[in-house]
């Protein structure tokens, strides 16, 4: 395991450089909302989702019902189920480590595990476990450190809450350039706008996510065909 950890660390450095500052941003926002480092730690461990955690702060601040918060986070993370399906064979025979890997599968961890293989002489299962564990440590550390700074220091965090929005704008632009089919983008945009008009800006999230999921399921074959055939992705 020690050798696997040594080999896994260099692979996870790019993730660390992203997770720690983003986690600190979340911790600062938590501190401003009146929640200490313990709450930031529990949120990072229990939710372990940048989008879900950033959203949860706003929901908690506005007194949103707990059931609504849970439903939104679950719907946002449904994509993780598909991530796990692709690793069923690689996770087999790992015992309790399998469940840890399933629970802590993030977008970035999934991307790394899909592209990186264990070096010669290193057990693949231990290598995957170390990568996943290190990524979670980076995120949890960033969240806790940010909350500690926000609690102890009088820091002006104006604009910090835009970090996740900015990140997803950049990711969206990158996916737009790479994707052959842009149907998911237009589906998401149209469903969100219609839900805001129909339900208002405070209640649109769950209807929008449900509508997006339904449309993606209905249009799945068309989207996949465009991705494979290389047709114009509108």
């Amino acid at each position: 395991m020690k050798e696997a950890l040594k080999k896994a660390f260099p692979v996870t450095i790019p993730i660390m450089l992203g997770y720690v500052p983003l986690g600190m941003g979340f911790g600062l926002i938590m501190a401003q909302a009146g929640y200490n480092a313990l709450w930031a730690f529990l949120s990072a461990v229990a939710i372990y989702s940048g989008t879900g955690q950033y959203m949860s702060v706003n929901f908690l601040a506005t007194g949103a019902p707990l059931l609504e918060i849970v439903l939104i986070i679950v719907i946002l993370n449904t994509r993780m189920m598909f991530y796990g399906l692709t690793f069923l064979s690689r996770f087999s025979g790992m015992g309790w480590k399998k469940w840890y890997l399933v629970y802590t599968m993030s977008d970035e961890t999934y991307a790394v595990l899909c592209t990186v293989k264990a070096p010669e002489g290193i057990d693949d299962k231990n290598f995957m476990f170390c990568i996943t564990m290190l990524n979670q440590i980076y995120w949890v550390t960033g969240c806790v450190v940010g909350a500690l700074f926000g609690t102890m220091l009088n820091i002006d965090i104006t604009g910090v809450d835009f970090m996740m929005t900015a990140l997803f704008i950049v990711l969206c632009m990158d996916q737009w350039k790479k994707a052959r089919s842009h149907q998911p983008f237009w589906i998401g945009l149209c469903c969100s706008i219609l839900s805001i008009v129909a339900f208002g800006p405070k209640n649109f999230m769950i209807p929008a996510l449900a509508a997006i999921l339904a449309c993606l399921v209905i249009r799945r074959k068309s989207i996949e065909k465009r991705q494979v055939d290389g047709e114009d992705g509108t």
Side-chain angles (χ1 to χ4, degrees), residues 125-163:
K125 292 178 172 52
N126 287 337
F127 188 65
M128 290 191 298
F129 177 80
C130 290
I131 288 175
T132 305
M133 179 183 66
L134 286 171
N135 288 344
Q136 187 184 29
I137 289 173
Y138 301 148
W139 178 256
V140 174
T141 300
C143 292
V144 173
V145 171
L148 288 173
F149 281 159
T151 302
M152 295 185 299
L153 305 176
N154 185 20
I155 302 175
D156 181 9
I157 63 170
T158 302
V160 171
D161 55 348
F162 190 71
M163 287 179 64

Side-chain angles (χ1 to χ4, degrees), residues 4-21:
L5 189 63
K6 288 181 180 179
K7 297 295 184 180
F9 175 69
V11 175
T12 63
I13 290 177
I15 307 299
M16 177 182 66
L17 297 177
Y19 271 15
V20 172

Side-chain angles (χ1 to χ4, degrees), residues 167-187:
L167 173 63
F168 276 95
I169 290 174
V170 173
L171 291 175
C172 181
M173 294 171 61
D174 184 61
Q175 289 298 311
W176 178 277
K177 294 177 180 178
K178 293 180 179 179
R180 292 177 175 176
S181 174
H182 295 152
Q183 288 188 49
F185 171 83
W186 294 115
I187 288 173

Side-chain angles (χ1 to χ4, degrees), residues 67-170:
L67 179 60
E68 180 179 346
I69 298 175
V70 172
L71 284 175
I72 290 174
I73 292 176
V74 168
I75 293 174
L76 281 172
N77 291 325
T78 51
R79 68 189 184 281
M80 303 300 179
M81 294 188 295
F82 301 98
Y83 290 176
L85 290 174
T86 62
F87 281 95
L88 286 178
S89 59
R90 290 183 69 185
F91 288 176
S92 62
M94 294 188 66
W96 64 269
K97 293 179 182 179
K98 170 184 176 180
W99 302 110
Y100 175 78
L101 291 172
V102 170
Y103 178 72
T104 53
M105 181 68 71
S106 65
D107 296 321
E108 292 76 14
T109 299
Y110 174 78
V112 172
L113 294 183
C114 283
T115 56
V116 177
K117 302 298 180 183
E120 186 177 352
I122 301 297
D123 182 73
D124 183 58
K125 292 178 172 52
N126 287 337
F127 188 65
M128 290 191 298
F129 177 80
C130 290
I131 288 175
T132 305
M133 179 183 66
L134 286 171
N135 288 344
Q136 187 184 29
I137 289 173
Y138 301 148
W139 178 256
V140 174
T141 300
C143 292
V144 173
V145 171
L148 288 173
F149 281 159
T151 302
M152 295 185 299
L153 305 176
N154 185 20
I155 302 175
D156 181 9
I157 63 170
T158 302
V160 171
D161 55 348
F162 190 71
M163 287 179 64
M164 188 58 67
T165 304
L167 173 63
F168 276 95
I169 290 174
V170 173

